């Protein structure tokens, strides 16, 4: 495995994600949120006027960097393929409920580990939920549940989401008056624009080349153990983030008073279990969906659109967890998400004749 | 797709025209500040900022007398005045925060924490260092004191629900002070 180029690409991607995930918070992003796909999507949806939370409006350059970095890399290495067409509505809904699960926990799988490595012990139970969800997803796959394979798409469907992110980059640089930027709250906290964009592009390129994915690492670990490069990548990501947190003095172990955390552990577990399960069914965590959409995968692009809609609605409808806990309708949304996963298990199952 | 087919030609022509129009629009430049405003009214960010500043000024005006009483040390009178104001502006976060400040100064730690929590759940600006409404320092002081006093009490009386609730409020405030994205 050590002689494989793929292994070292995974190492580079996971190392950069772990180190920059911490450093971006040092450089100005919110505490423990150096990189968080769900939080950043909520910020971006707010910046586009899709929700009215004035403390959550900023076009996060990291997200733009992830997609455009992946696009550039896949074009350079001739891996850009316009493909898709499998269960579009299911993927749209999956994207929505990915964000519901993340918002209830307050963070995507990347942030889960960033919180954990900063000493936030509430994330420990959420990790149990995520791992459980991935395991359930694997059981579903083994039982024949799947969304179908992507096929080559005519008409450049794969360019739509990268095109959208190019437009977001124009919005970010030109800052037209209809794009909103918070001047207080967590969205007002951000690393310098060019630094964030540069990190996003670098991580996007490395993630595209390596296929790095948080839930993919867990999935491969459960399937293949230590033989899986992605599992090693996950461990390197965790160690790198922990060392980075320790070296910048941001490791503060504890259960209480952690930034952007709550004590509704059951809902953290369930939220992350939903994220893990859905991620395995659709082939990757929220971060991986962004990267795949940059490679021309219109199916992942639909998940990204669903995530953006979800990001707008969790803020607009008040579904997201806060330090005070998980709101009632957030809990309802998680339960509905599980309901839909069960329905998916029934209707998307390939049964032997 | 090719030049020989009229449908393709028409579409390519349309595309070129659209790109040319876009280029012309961009080259001619976005309307200047004043022109944009006459076209679309005051931009949203400015409107939002004005509304926020107006809110801050309004709060200062309404709750100013309470602040004055508090500064003069007339805490009981300030609490009475707050009670009246709370009937008029029920659910206003500023009232809860002020009550928390006064109760903390009177040494009523549990109630002060509960009021800060109620205020912060309504409006997070009170722990935001950038906000003119920021009350980070007094809330931090309460958290520090709360840890010291309530933790000891909770250890001595682990089954006392009111102490547990007060400690929970202190943890909540600590978490809000720590920041994070939510």
């Amino acid at each position: 495995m050590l002689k494989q180029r793929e292994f070292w690409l995974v190492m580079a991607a996971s190392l950069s994600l772990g180190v920059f995930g911490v450093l971006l918070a040092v450089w100005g992003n919110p505490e423990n949120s150096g990189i968080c796909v769900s939080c950043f999507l909520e910020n971006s949806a707010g910046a586009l006027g899709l929700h009215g939370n004035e403390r959550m409006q900023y076009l996060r350059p990291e997200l733009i960097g992830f997609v455009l970095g992946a696009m550039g890399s896949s074009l350079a290495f001739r891996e850009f393929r316009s493909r898709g067409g499998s269960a579009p509505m299911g993927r749209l809904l999956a994207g929505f409920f990915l964000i519901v699960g993340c918002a209830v926990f307050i963070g995507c799988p990347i942030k889960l580990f960033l919180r954990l490595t900063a000493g936030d012990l509430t994330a420990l139970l959420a990790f149990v939920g995520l791992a459980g969800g991935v395991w359930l997803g694997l059981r579903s796959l083994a039982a024949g549940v799947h969304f179908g394979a992507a096929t080559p798409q005519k008409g450049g469907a794969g360019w739509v989401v990268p095109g959208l992110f190019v437009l977001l980059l124009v919005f970010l640089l030109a800052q037209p008056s209809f794009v909103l930027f918070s001047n207080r709250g967590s969205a007002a906290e951000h690393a310098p624009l060019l630094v964030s964009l540069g990190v996003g592009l670098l991580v996007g390129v490395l993630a595209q080349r390596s296929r790095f994915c948080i839930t993919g690492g867990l999935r491969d670990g459960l399937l293949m153990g230590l033989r899986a490069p992605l599992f090693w990548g996950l461990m390197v990501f965790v160690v790198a983030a922990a060392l980075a947190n320790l070296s910048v003095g941001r490791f503060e172990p504890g259960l209480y008073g952690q930034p952007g955390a709550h004590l509704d552990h059951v809902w953290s577990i369930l939220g992350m279990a939903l994220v893990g399960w859905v991620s395995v069914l659709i082939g990757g965590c929220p971060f991986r969906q962004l990267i795949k959409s940059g490679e021309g995968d219109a199916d992942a692009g639909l998940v990204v659109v669903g995530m953006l809609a979800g990001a707008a609605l969790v803020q607009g409808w008040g579904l997201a967890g806060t330090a005070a806990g998980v709101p009632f309708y957030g809990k309802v949304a998680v339960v509905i998400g599980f309901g839909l996963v069960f329905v998916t298990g029934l209707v998307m199952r390939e049964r032997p004749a | 797709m090719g030049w020989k087919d009229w449908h393709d030609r028409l579409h390519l022509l349309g595309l070129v025209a659209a790109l040319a129009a876009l280029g012309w629009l961009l080259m001619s430049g976005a309307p200047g500040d004043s022109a944009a405003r006459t076209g679309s009214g005051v931009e949203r960010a400015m409107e939002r900022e004005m509304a926020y500043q107006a809110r801050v000024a309004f709060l200062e005006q309404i709750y100013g007398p309470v602040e004055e009483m508090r500064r003069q040390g007339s805490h009981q009178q300030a609490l009475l005045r707050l009670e009246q104001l709370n009937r008029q502006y029920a659910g206003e976060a500023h009232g809860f925060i002020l009550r928390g400040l006064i109760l903390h100064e009177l040494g009523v730690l549990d109630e002060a924490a509960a009021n800060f929590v109620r205020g912060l759940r309504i409006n997070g600006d009170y722990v935001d260092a950038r906000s003119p409404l920021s009350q980070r320092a007094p809330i931090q002081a309460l958290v520090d004191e709360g840890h010291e006093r309530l933790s000891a009490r909770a250890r001595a009386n682990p089954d006392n629900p009111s102490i547990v609730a007060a400690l929970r409020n202190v943890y909540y405030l600590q978490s809000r002070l720590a920041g994070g994205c939510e």
Side-chain angles (χ1 to χ4, degrees):
Chain A
M1 192 163 60
L2 291 175
K3 288 178 182 171
Q4 289 174 345
R5 195 169 60 104
E6 183 205 4
F7 176 80
W8 293 107
L9 278 171
V10 171
M11 293 300 115
S14 52
L15 195 68
S16 63
L17 205 60
V19 172
F20 287 120
V22 174
L23 287 182
L24 281 169
V26 176
W27 292 332
N29 280 4
E31 286 283 333
N32 295 357
S33 293
I35 293 174
C36 173
V37 172
S38 60
C39 302
F40 289 2
L41 278 167
E42 287 169 36
N43 289 171
S44 301
L48 296 173
L50 299 176
H51 69 69
N53 185 348
E54 292 181 4
R55 303 166 60 80
M56 290 288 276
Q57 294 167 335
Y58 178 56
L59 269 181
R60 291 277 176 191
E62 294 87 350
L63 294 185
I64 296 169
F66 293 159
V67 175
L68 299 189
M71 181 184 76
S73 167
S74 58
L75 285 172
F77 291 94
R78 297 175 186 278
E79 287 181 338
F80 190 95
R81 300 272 185 280
S82 204
R83 58 191 189 272
S86 78
M89 289 312 292
R91 289 183 189 273
L92 197 73
L93 274 177
F96 178 88
F97 284 101
L98 272 183
I99 294 299
V100 166
C102 292
V104 160
F105 162 66
I106 317 182
C108 72
I110 292 177
K111 183 169 165 179
L112 186 157
F113 286 106
L114 291 177
R115 279 173 55 175
L116 200 56
T117 54
D120 181 348
L121 298 179
T122 61
L124 207 55
L125 288 163
F127 169 71
V128 173
L130 184 71
V134 169
W135 183 79
L136 287 167
L138 276 172
R139 302 302 306 162
S140 296
L141 289 182
V145 178
H146 66 87
F147 279 67
T151 50
Q153 293 286 293
K154 284 198 300 181
W159 285 102
V160 174
V161 169
L164 171 71
F165 277 82
V166 169
L167 188 66
L168 293 185
L169 178 63
V170 172
F171 285 173
L172 179 67
L173 298 176
Q175 304 203 348
S177 59
F178 56 81
V179 175
L180 306 170
F181 294 93
S182 297
N183 50 16
R184 57 186 188 281
S186 58
E189 297 174 24
H190 50 80
L193 191 155
L194 290 178
V195 172
S196 302
L197 191 59
V199 168
L201 285 167
L202 174 72
V203 172
V205 168
L206 290 170
Q208 192 278 325
R209 298 301 299 140
S210 64
R211 277 76 175 158
F212 183 70
C213 170
I214 300 288
T215 51
L218 281 171
R219 177 201 61 201
D220 287 5
L222 287 170
L223 282 175
M224 296 191 287
L226 294 177
R227 285 173 296 139
L230 280 184
F231 182 62
W232 279 103
L234 184 60
M235 288 200 283
V236 166
F237 164 58
V238 172
V239 171
L243 289 175
N245 270 314
L246 279 167
S247 60
V248 297
R250 292 197 171 208
F251 182 74
E252 288 176 22
L255 196 62
Y256 305 111
Q258 294 288 349
H262 58 70
L263 300 173
D264 277 353
H265 303 306
V266 171
W267 292 99
S268 288
I269 295 171
L270 289 174
M272 273 295 130
L274 181 62
V275 172
W277 196 343
V278 172
S279 294
V280 171
L281 289 179
I282 60 174
C285 66
F287 173 69
R288 180 79 186 122
Q289 299 299 325
L290 283 171
I291 301 297
K292 285 204 297 189
S293 71
E295 294 172 343
D297 189 330
D299 287 343
L302 267 171
V303 177
V304 171
V305 173
M307 291 200 296
L308 194 64
L313 290 180
V314 294
Q315 284 295 324
W317 293 351
L319 308 180
T322 66
V326 179
F328 172 74
Y329 288 111
K331 296 172 183 173
V332 171
V334 168
V335 173
I336 292 174
F338 273 108
L340 283 172
V341 171
F342 291 128
V343 171
T344 303
L346 292 171
V347 300
M348 305 292 278
R349 187 171 178 209
E350 199 170 312
R351 296 164 201 275
Chain B
M1 192 174 73
W3 279 107
K4 287 179 183 171
D5 185 88
W6 68 269
H7 177 269
D8 288 353
R9 251 184 289 176
L10 209 61
H11 280 77
L12 279 168
L13 209 64
L15 179 65
V16 171
L19 285 173
L22 184 64
W24 177 76
L25 278 171
L26 290 174
M27 291 294 282
S28 62
D33 231 10
S34 55
R37 282 177 195 175
T38 47
S40 62
V42 183
E43 60 184 89
R44 287 167 75 182
M46 176 72 93
E47 266 181 10
R48 201 168 60 170
E49 191 56 33
M50 282 168 68
Y52 186 65
Q53 294 300 338
R55 176 180 153 74
V56 171
F58 180 71
L59 289 174
E60 278 170 3
Q61 186 193 328
I62 296 298
Y63 290 95
V66 180
E67 284 277 23
E68 190 53 40
M69 288 174 201
R70 187 184 144 223
R71 265 194 294 274
Q72 288 170 355
S74 310
H75 289 121
Q76 294 302 338
Q77 276 172 293
L79 283 174
L80 277 171
R81 180 83 183 113
L82 260 184
E83 202 60 50
Q84 289 171 342
L85 284 171
N86 280 358
R87 275 198 289 275
Q88 205 172 346
Y89 304 104
E92 171 51 52
H94 204 74
F96 292 120
I97 297 292
L98 271 180
R99 190 198 297 271
L101 289 169
I102 295 167
L103 289 172
H104 188 208
E105 281 162 7
L106 288 172
V108 191
L109 195 72
D110 303 14
E111 278 299 306
N115 276 282
F116 280 149
V117 168
R118 287 186 76 180
L120 277 179
R121 280 185 177 166
I122 298 166
N123 188 342
D125 288 358
Y126 294 94
V127 284
D128 196 331
R130 297 161 204 251
S131 169
L133 298 174
S134 181
Q135 294 291 345
R136 278 187 74 87
I139 296 173
Q140 182 68 60
L142 182 135
V143 167
D144 295 341
E145 194 186 333
H147 269 303
E148 209 173 299
R149 281 173 50 186
L150 291 172
S151 300
R153 275 165 60 194
R155 272 195 299 274
N157 309 284
D159 298 326
N160 187 325
S162 65
I163 298 175
V164 172
L167 198 58
R168 213 170 249 278
N169 283 337
V170 170
Y171 290 144
Y172 174 80
L173 294 174
Q174 190 186 356
S175 190
R176 293 302 301 262
L177 284 166
C181 207
E182 60 175 79

